[in-house]
Amino acid sequence: MQIVIRHVFYEATGYGNSARQIALAMDQAGADIKLEAMGRRDEFLDPAMEARLRQLENKPYADDKILLKVGTD
């Protein structure tokens, strides 16, 4: 089952940092993660981290998925 995480992954905020750490930890643990980025795209990330986030964002949606939306609108 794919876990789709919707959050502010590219923002230079505590929320962005937490979202990145959670998503990347779940990915490293072997979960099928897809990102739906919201908010700004601040340019401050290490190129390798930004590339991995973009890979996860560009993954196709699986047929079997759940949405994890962190925070409020």
Side-chain angles (χ1 to χ4, degrees):
M1 176 172 295
Q2 186 178 63
I3 302 169
V4 180
I5 307 174
R6 183 180 297 161
H7 209 292
V8 293
F9 299 101
Y10 298 97
E11 289 189 10
T13 64
Y15 292 115
N17 184 54
S18 295
R20 287 188 298 278
Q21 296 303 318
I22 291 167
L24 293 173
M26 292 174 74
D27 178 54
Q28 278 190 316
D32 181 7
I33 301 295
K34 170 157 177 65
L35 305 183
E36 287 186 359
M38 301 171 49
R40 299 184 315 264
R41 291 189 179 256
D42 300 338
E43 296 184 17
F44 73 100
L45 290 171
D46 172 73
M49 178 179 284
E50 184 168 350
R52 184 61 186 140
L53 292 173
R54 288 195 187 274
Q55 285 176 337
L56 294 173
E57 188 176 7
N58 291 328
K59 282 176 78 170
Y61 288 96
D63 291 333
D64 204 17
K65 60 188 168 291
I66 60 170
L67 173 64
L68 174 60
K69 181 180 170 200
V70 184
T72 59
D73 291 305

